[in-house]
Amino acid sequence: MRETPPRYLDPVAGLAAGLGVLALLLPWLELKSSRIAPGEPFHVWDWQGFGALALLILWAGVARAQGPAQVGLLGLALLAWGLLTGQGADALLSGQPESARVSPAGGFWLTLLALYVGYFAAYRQGGWILLTVLLGLALLLGLGAFERLGPLMEFQSWREQFFTELWRHLSLSGSAVLLAVAVGVPLGVLAAGNPRMGWVLGVTGFLQTIPSLALFGLLLPLLAAISQGLRLEIALGAIVLGMFAFRLLWAVSGWLAVSLALSLGLLALAMAGAWLNSLLGPDPLRIVLGAPLQESGVRGIGAAPAVLALTLYALLPLVLNTYTGLRGVPEDARDAGRGMGMSPEQLFWRVELPLALPLILEGIRSAASLTIGITTVAALIGAGGLGFFILRGVEGGAPDMVLLGAVPIILLALLVDSALRFASMALRRRVGI
Amino acid sequence: MIRFENVVKRYGDFEALKGVRLEVAEGQLVTLLGPSGCGKTTLLRTVNRLIEPSEGTVFIGEQDVRQLDEVELRRGIGYVIQSIGLFPHMSVLENVMVVPRLLGWSKEKREARAREMLALVGLEPQTFAGRFPRELSGGQAQRVGLARALAADPPVLLMDEPFGAVDPPTRERLQDEFLRLQSELKKTVLFVTHDLEEAVRISDRICLMNSGRVEQYDTPEVLLRSPKTPFVRDFLGPSRTLLRLSRIPLNDLIEPLGTHRPAVSIKRSATARDAFSLLLANGIRSLAVTDEGGQVVGLVRLESLLTAASEEEP
Amino acid sequence: MKSVFAFLIALGLGLALAQKGPITVGSKIDTEGAVLCQMVKILLEANGFRVNDRCSTGTTDVVRKALTSGEIDLYPEYTGTALGVFFKNDPSAQAVTRDAAKGFARVKELDAKNNIVWLNPAPANNTWAIAVPRTLAQQNNLRTMADFARWVNGGAQVRLAASQEFVDRDDALKAFERVYGFKLKPEQLVILPGGNTTQTQQAAARGTGGVNAAMAYGTDGGIAALGLVALTDPRGAVAVYQPAITVRKAVFDRFPELATLINPVFATLDEATLSQLNAEVAVSGKNPAEVARAYLRSKNFIR
């Protein structure tokens, strides 16, 4: 009796299909009389019974298919998801007053999740399948499939400000990460080289535990007081003098020296953060000599406290990863390097740093995606960013506006994370770890 | 070439080196031998100032090593360690080029020299130049380490158990090749090992150390024949005579064939120890000696071996 | 090249100097604040001022602090808020919270000591109110707070969603209860943190957790859109909250024309108008700047 080959069912693809089918049973879209009104749920079959059936068949196919066929079916499911949504939005909105809105509901989101899981299963085909995803999404956007969904209607109203806040969000996060690298990596190098500097790790770790809102709240009155009273030249002068004074004080009292360094360091960071953000972002850079700091853009609210707090949060992954990366340099490589006649600087730049670099890059990745998320809170203190839409949306009871803020933030974080992950892997392979 | 004058090294109360006096002549391969903790590695590292003596002086040529800038000093000394310490992020070629680069050689000169060194240690440059350390076997990595140490043509080589991390057959091969290299290059080599056989095999002179002191400093033959202290005798163990025999080539003991041709034969390139081993195994008193071609050229008798093995002064 | 640069810089500087200001405008994060802020900004820009837009600056404390510390130059504040929060320890202030004219005069007088100038308030009274679903109002004949009191005392199943502040303050719910003679028991209250009237109204509209009455403000844009109706307060039980522009004295002294420009505009903003404008933003989702601009045009304040 001839044996039939076993039926093939990839459990992950099966999960995706299961989720996809379940999603069809949930309401797909919500129709509201206005952006703040409660919504009435609708299922896919309410406007396109055929569509529901088609998706059902596609999911069954995804579960059973293999190889390029599976990828093809997933692509079709992606297109179906978008086109059905667009069709539904049009259908539901016809004959409704202008203020009416259609929002995505459970079925829409669950299908997105199912697609994600499905592509995860298919990923072993190779990275090229991501191209198909991008193509599919581009096609859907080009056809205007999501155009009449609530969040995108909000986008139409707030278009200009959306891009400004997006830019602000990027400049706030970017400034913070850049400053965190500039401060954190040297701190990590210090900590790795000198066992007595281990407390650096402890302090940056402690900073992480402070709730973000609390940290912002603490910094606001502090910076407000300083920026109103202190003149720009005095601030700059104090920082420069402080650098010299540090050396002298270190011999006298470690604690005094460190306190001085910390307070002046925070001031310097606040100033650097505000100015870097102005350089990178849409808000103009103003340097006014002879006037209090706040004339030069360093205020108690806005970019200065925001970037300062964000930088402090981003410090830990950078300091820790730099430290671990340097510690992880093989001891025999160090010994051989020294023994061969490398000076300490040459050893650091030619051996230790290149070997620690992949881990440092991981730290940057970690810090970047973390920071993009926390930057959301910056809007609360008048620094702008995509959090503005989340706040207005919550305050105004408009979930569509919340999505307008939240979805780009998520996408940004994912994008940055993936890009840096890719770079880090490539570097690891090159360095041989 | 290398001279240690009363070198003492203290770590707190512990004395790792207790007044070492030693002289290594130019072009010689001297092994620092001894049990773990005897101070051999410590002594080695005082030469390139990775360790600074608490008392005493180390000379290279007539120069007190402390007079030189330590970084420059090290660039003029080849340094090979057991774990090799190749830089994982550099290719084999780049690894070998490290010291020449530190010395400021031009790119062409560096590359040419690096390839030359790879060939010298038996690694085909075409194949190996672009490889990375993680792609190498233990033996290959060790060769690269050696090539790297020789790249700047330093007069002095410091080697700390360089062949310890590979399997015995590879180790023997590396030792043989190194000996061949040394006969060509005639470097002054200070070699650290705890392996008596290795020391006996390759050294011109052996410095046997114990607890920071030099117990005996002689050629292998003298050391094996006339251990000076109970420690040395213990360290060498009862099989030292056999070891000594391994240094005696069979050629010295061949006698012309008599009437009787022994049943078992041995090649003339073998050592006295090999002959003795064969005699024991077969329970006989003489062996026929053949050349490479298999032609019998003489015989060797147990009596000759016994005479050679004798510890009496000739 | 250098001369072109120099010319451009000079031109830019010249243009900058030709304009008045800059004046930094701010507001609270809510819809009405955004609309009023944009209205002032567009009005000033149309009259030759350079304006820094810091609308939706933050919460009440943040904005007020920004004004007093000079981070912003003006923002819209409510007479009732100033009297009830900034001057809450001043009995002369507390005495006049329910009188529009006296209240405004008092707050103008008191804040002058803080070097803050109050421009004329809009007639709209954005004060506390209670809103109920339209169907409920029709069923039970509810039009005024007196009707509400009657309905509650008659043993109605009422659940009111409100903020902590509304429940605690002497001149909010307690004032209604005092003047109209009813008392809500704790189980008849649902306290939502933060005091956001959109949330309370959404709860009443959806009937979440049995809520069928919501705290509201007089000019909320969403009331009608959510199918609710606000009950009137004919006896004037609660404090008056009229919006007015508060300016730093230093800025006002430099530009006294701020009053002549802004006062006429604010005079046109009654409750119906302001609710309508708020609704366009909160309900129809339009951009506050566009709504403000369209309004100013329609009233010929700008071209």
Side-chain angles (χ1 to χ4, degrees), chain A residues 33-39 98-99 101 154 157-158 161 224 227-228 286 294 299-302 379-382 388 391-392 394-399, chain C residues 22 29-31 34 54-59 62 65-66 69-71 196 198-199 202 205-206 221-222 225-226 281-288 290:
Chain A
S33 59
S34 74
R35 60 200 281 277
I36 58 172
E98 206 197 311
S99 62
R101 292 283 183 272
E154 296 290 325
S157 292
W158 291 90
Q161 188 155 5
S227 61
Q228 278 162 41
R286 264 165 50 118
Q294 68 176 20
R299 297 195 184 85
I301 62 171
L380 260 179
I381 56 171
F388 171 79
L391 285 173
R392 291 290 318 252
V394 168
E395 191 272 331
Chain C
I29 301 189
D30 65 324
T31 304
R54 313 255 345 241
C55 297
S56 300
T57 324
T59 55
V62 173
K65 188 112 212 319
S69 69
E71 307 250 0
N196 187 311
T198 316
Q199 289 165 355
Q202 279 176 331
R206 290 191 174 111
L226 288 170
V281 177
V283 176
S284 302
K286 294 206 188 119
N287 191 304
E290 279 162 38

Side-chain angles (χ1 to χ4, degrees), chain A residues 201-212:
Chain A
L201 288 171
V203 170
T204 49
F206 166 71
L207 283 172
Q208 286 293 58
T209 63
I210 306 179
S212 53

